């Protein structure tokens, strides 16, 4: 028997019912949204990296010793921080080499965590009795779960 996943339309039967359920559709919609966000982030990074590298090279090769002013955050507003072009070029170079990826990864992990939380909430809301079975076995505090769910919505 072929155990490979089916591609294309699913035959009627148990698998067809699962794909047509409200829970499945809600999770699938969020899944597609998550993948689009993931892909958008990497497309953005792919398009941005050459410009960052070019700007880094331009700034790093500057012979200017002038320190330019840049606004940076402070507790109650902003202050001026001064940097030479070469210093700013090093910042751009670091972003080109790894920083832009690290920034994206943090954001993408956060979005993936939100997807997982949403999916669990969808299932728990649709099938609360099944969750109570898990609570008996694993000690999940259902009252806490429901209070957190209502606080988010």
């Amino acid at each position: 028997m072929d155990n490979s996943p089916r591609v294309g339309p699913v035959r009627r039967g148990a698998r067809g019912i699962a794909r047509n359920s409200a829970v499945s559709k809600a999770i699938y919609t969020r899944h597609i949204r998550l993948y689009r966000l993931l892909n958008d982030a990497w497309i953005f990074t792919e398009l941005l990296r050459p410009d960052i590298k070019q700007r880094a090279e331009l700034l790093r090769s500057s012979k200017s010793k002038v320190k330019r002013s840049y606004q940076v955050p402070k507790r109650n507003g902003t202050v001026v921080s001064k940097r030479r072009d070469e210093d700013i070029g090093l910042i751009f170079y670091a972003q080109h080499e790894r920083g832009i990826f690290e920034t994206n990864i943090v954001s993408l992990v956060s979005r993936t965590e939100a997807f997982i939380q949403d999916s669990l909430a969808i299932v728990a809301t649709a099938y609360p009795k099944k969750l109570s079975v898990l609570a008996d076995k694993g000690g999940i505090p259902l009252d806490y779960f429901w209070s957190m769910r209502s606080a988010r919505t």
Side-chain angles (χ1 to χ4, degrees), residues 1-73:
M1 178 171 208
D2 182 20
N3 288 332
S4 61
R6 287 186 48 81
V7 177
V10 177
R11 284 181 269 136
R12 293 251 182 238
R15 290 176 76 188
I17 292 169
R19 297 257 172 111
N20 292 324
S21 76
V23 170
S24 180
K25 287 178 182 178
I27 292 173
Y28 182 74
T29 299
R30 284 164 178 79
H31 160 261
I32 293 300
R33 192 178 310 141
L34 174 65
Y35 267 84
R36 183 157 185 98
L37 288 168
L38 296 173
N39 289 339
D40 288 353
W42 290 113
I43 290 168
F44 178 75
T45 300
E46 183 75 23
L47 294 172
L48 191 60
R49 284 190 80 233
D51 293 335
I52 291 174
K53 183 178 182 182
Q54 181 181 13
R55 186 81 182 259
E57 290 169 354
L58 179 70
L59 289 165
R60 287 175 66 197
S61 65
S62 173
K63 302 296 181 208
S64 174
K65 299 297 180 193
V66 174
K67 289 189 173 185
R68 300 181 195 278
S69 298
Y70 297 94
Q71 295 290 320
V72 296

Side-chain angles (χ1 to χ4, degrees), residues 46-125:
E46 183 75 23
L47 294 172
L48 191 60
R49 284 190 80 233
D51 293 335
I52 291 174
K53 183 178 182 182
Q54 181 181 13
R55 186 81 182 259
E57 290 169 354
L58 179 70
L59 289 165
R60 287 175 66 197
S61 65
S62 173
K63 302 296 181 208
S64 174
K65 299 297 180 193
V66 174
K67 289 189 173 185
R68 300 181 195 278
S69 298
Y70 297 94
Q71 295 290 320
V72 296
K74 190 177 178 180
R75 181 176 295 190
N76 295 325
T78 60
V79 295
V80 173
S81 180
K82 296 187 177 218
R83 300 285 188 278
R84 293 179 303 126
D85 288 347
E86 185 179 1
D87 299 329
I88 299 301
L90 290 171
I91 294 169
F92 272 80
Y93 182 75
Q95 287 298 312
H96 173 265
E97 287 301 309
R98 71 182 185 294
I100 195 76
F101 290 109
E102 291 170 356
T103 301
N104 273 339
I105 287 171
V106 169
S107 173
L108 298 176
V109 166
S110 175
R111 290 179 183 266
T112 303
E113 288 172 345
F115 166 75
I116 293 168
Q117 288 176 343
D118 287 348
S119 297
L120 288 172
I122 289 166
V123 172
T125 303

